[in-house]
């Protein structure tokens, strides 16, 4: 295993310590908790937003902590849900009395632990609610999930709910904004290579020399099909067809688009996929109002990408384009 | 070879077309030229800034086109200098009569072709000048270079010169700002894996299962030492020692720091390196005023990173922190 780390069991705490040292004017690391909060948390008069999950998906989720997005991110060990105690620390650190919304990706451990933390927070008098993101259209159930998995579309939920909270929305309004995104967002991914967990030291699964896996999960959970290497145009068509037909997206719809790198895929290739996706959407007379290309929800050193489409409503479009100032997403 | 591309000979044009489709409000692709310009180029009354080089280093250079950084980026084929004709198109597209500065990384082909383009532009009556960035302290000459190579520190030159131009600096003043950065910036990299050129279809060199290469160039040019996998702390110390002793950086200096991913290295690992680098600088009583962690100057799918230190002057600090609005770098 070749990784720029010190010890496998220290990689998450080293990473979080590094982030706190690199962005001292933006972020605080609540040491020993895996929690990164906005420097100025709790923000008076604002609903707090908490997300998180297993590590290995960077910049998710600490990269989205800041003005107009999250107030706190909770980092579990690599590909491992954070504990209820960790999540409770985050909730407490961002509650200013206006309540806290947790944005949870649909994995069994995450949902259970966020729900338990919410109960603990409620017992301490905090008004807390949560939403569950399940944007991955590839499979209905998986090794880690009952129901669909939450993947890169979660970042659009962070952005929209974050802007709604920043604009003074109540807990109910912020949850509504998040739910609207969840209803209208769909994603699907492809892997070219597996990823290697630091503790394991070897890939979690294997792919042949010329083999790719369509519909892969962000922890390397099985997808829907293994196939030979195909062109970017072909791969994008396969992903887009499944995503488009699911909601379904219709001619005349306005959408935001994300092409998300899984960790080891060059930006060059993501832009080639972006070109193909734009061509497909144009042909279907679906209008793209916003495009996000880059790494948002990764899977360690996996090569591959996911595509995400989010259907606009007037409110969603307003909040998606609102200012944000985080390490990984900045908007004027 | 597993890549999300259509055809190896179309990868650069596909990528640039994709960028233009994804960021239509920001960028224009001068089709058939490999040139990406600011949507609003030429900007009246402003010195134009042009950079570029071989492709495969994304987000360099088109990702840095926008307010407060570059006016145009010229993309050659993968790891191949753009031609003088291409560069001339870029210069002409951004000249508003105030002159144009070209920021060139020190590779023999780039320097020759930018110089030839400048002569051609001068013959057409454009006031054009250039600077050459040579921040890589690893080796003095290399397979592609006479003198030191230009690597990730180039992005700091883009930022500072771009802000100086945006603030209305003359061609002379913008060049001065760039030269000050070049004098004060030093970098060095390490590779964990080689990279694969689309046209070649296989890695340009090999590294053993547990081998890394210290001092690698951004095209896979040989470094200074092959060694066994070492901890992030050890690797960072080796790179930082060489960088620090070169300028040299002194106790009491104020610096900006970059930890640049080579393309396939997870952000998690870059943040671990960031932690180690902050620890080293603190111990040497060097003050960090700004930290950039991420992918800025990549080498296709190479795993590894480089570290860059830039010593602050009052002017450099002012321009480095000034607003910028590009695809890859945004500052308020």
């Amino acid at each position: 295993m070749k990784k720029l780390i010190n010890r496998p069991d220290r990689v998450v705490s080293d990473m979080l310590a590094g982030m706190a040292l690199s962005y001292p004017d933006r972020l605080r690391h609540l040491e020993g908790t895996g929690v990164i909060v906005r420097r100025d948390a709790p923000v008076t008069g604002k609903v707090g937003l908490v997300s998180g999950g297993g590590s290995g998906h960077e910049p998710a989720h600490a990269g989205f902590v800041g003005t107009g997005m999250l107030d706190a991110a909770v980092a579990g060990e690599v590909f491992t849900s954070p504990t209820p105690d960790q999540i409770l620390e985050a909730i407490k650190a961002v509650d200013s009395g206006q309540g806290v919304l947790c944005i949870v990706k649909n994995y069994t451990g995450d949902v259970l632990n966020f729900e338990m933390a919410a109960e603990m927070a409620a017992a301490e008098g905090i008004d807390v609610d949560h939403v569950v993101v399940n944007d991955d259209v590839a499979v209905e159930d998986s090794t880690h999930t009952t129901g669909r998995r939450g993947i890169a579309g979660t970042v659009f939920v962070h952005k929209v709910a974050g802007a709604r909270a920043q604009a003074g929305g109540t807990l109910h309004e912020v949850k509504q904004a998040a739910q609207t995104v969840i209803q209208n967002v769909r994603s699907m991914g492809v892997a070219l290579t597996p990823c290697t967990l630091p503790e394991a030291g070897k890939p979690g699964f294997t792919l042949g020399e010329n083999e790719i896996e369509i519909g892969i999960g962000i922890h390397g959970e099985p997808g829907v099909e293994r196939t030979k290497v195909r062109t970017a145009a072909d791969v994008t068509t396969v992903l887009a067809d499944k995503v488009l037909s699911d909601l379904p997206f219709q001619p005349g719809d306005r959408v935001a688009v994300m092409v998300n790198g899984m960790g080891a895929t060059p930006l060059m290739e993501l832009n080639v996929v972006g070109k193909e996706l734009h061509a497909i959407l144009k042909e279907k007379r679906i209008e793209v109002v916003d495009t996000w290309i880059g790494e948002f929800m990764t899977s360690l050193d996996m090569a591959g990408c996911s595509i995400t489409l989010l259907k606009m409503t007037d409110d969603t479009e307003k909040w998606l384009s609102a200012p944000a100032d985080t390490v990984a997403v900045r908007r004027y």
Side-chain angles (χ1 to χ4, degrees), chain A residues 4-332:
Chain A
L4 289 165
I5 63 175
N6 292 312
R7 283 168 35 185
D9 62 332
R10 289 285 304 275
V11 66
V12 174
S13 56
D14 277 0
M15 167 184 73
L16 298 175
M19 288 193 74
L21 288 165
S22 294
Y23 311 107
D25 50 335
R26 297 168 172 276
L27 304 177
R28 263 190 299 138
H29 177 206
L30 307 184
E31 271 177 53
T33 66
V35 176
I36 293 272
V37 298
R38 276 174 67 156
R39 180 91 236 163
D40 55 355
V43 181
T44 307
K46 194 183 85 65
V47 168
L49 273 185
V50 173
S51 192
S55 293
H57 305 301
E58 293 69 28
H61 297 83
F64 308 125
V65 170
T67 310
M69 287 185 81
L70 303 179
D71 293 272
V74 197
E77 291 303 311
V78 177
F79 290 1
T80 303
S81 298
T83 65
D85 283 344
Q86 289 182 284
I87 300 165
L88 180 62
E89 289 297 327
I91 293 171
K92 287 161 67 173
V94 306
D95 177 49
S96 74
Q98 304 300 310
V100 175
L101 183 72
C102 296
I103 298 171
V104 188
K105 299 193 302 303
N106 191 34
Y107 297 99
T108 306
D110 284 3
V111 173
L112 279 174
N113 290 356
F114 269 93
E115 283 178 350
M116 196 173 304
E119 281 175 31
M120 292 154 69
E124 298 194 25
I126 298 174
D127 191 10
V128 58
D129 205 342
H130 75 282
V131 295
V132 177
V133 188
N134 58 350
D135 55 315
D136 186 349
V137 302
V139 295
E140 285 304 320
D141 296 306
S142 80
T143 43
H144 293 52
T145 326
T146 303
R148 288 179 167 186
R149 303 173 294 212
I151 58 172
T154 308
V155 183
F156 283 150
V157 182
H158 295 159
K159 177 68 188 71
V160 168
R164 188 70 195 89
Q166 193 72 37
T170 63
L171 180 54
H172 177 74
E173 289 167 336
V174 174
K175 184 179 181 183
Q176 273 304 122
Q179 290 288 21
T180 301
V181 175
I182 292 168
Q183 282 156 23
N184 289 322
V185 69
R186 299 292 186 276
S187 304
M188 187 159 154
V190 58
L192 278 62
T193 70
C195 54
T196 298
L197 277 74
E199 291 270 15
K202 57 183 188 201
F205 62 101
T206 54
L207 278 171
E209 185 74 21
N210 287 303
E211 200 177 36
I212 64 176
E213 181 156 342
I214 307 276
I216 195 92
I218 58 172
H219 312 94
E221 310 97 301
V224 291
E225 184 192 3
R226 289 197 174 191
T227 172
K228 288 215 162 175
V229 181
R230 295 157 75 172
T231 63
D234 283 353
V235 170
T236 309
T237 299
V238 169
L239 300 181
D241 279 353
K242 190 97 195 266
V243 165
L244 284 163
S245 62
D246 190 85
L247 191 60
F249 294 86
Q250 311 271 11
D253 280 351
R254 293 159 58 80
V255 299
V257 165
M258 181 184 290
V259 179
N260 170 61
M262 293 291 209
T265 292
L267 188 53
M268 170 182 271
E269 298 176 34
L270 302 181
N271 276 301
V272 173
V273 171
K275 168 181 172 283
E276 300 305 329
L277 186 54
H278 280 285
I280 291 166
L281 295 173
K282 185 175 183 185
E283 201 261 321
K284 306 234 181 241
R285 293 188 293 116
I286 291 170
E287 184 186 356
V288 179
V289 300
D290 197 3
T291 305
W292 295 32
I293 309 270
E295 294 185 342
F296 300 97
M297 183 71 70
T298 63
S299 305
L300 294 167
D301 53 352
M302 187 184 286
C305 75
S306 61
I307 66 168
T308 297
L309 294 185
L310 167 60
K311 183 178 168 177
M312 292 291 111
T313 67
D314 289 349
D315 276 352
T316 296
E317 190 166 349
K318 174 179 168 187
W319 303 125
L320 190 67
S321 62
D325 187 13
T326 73
V327 171
V329 173
R330 294 184 195 179
R331 297 256 155 163
Y332 288 83

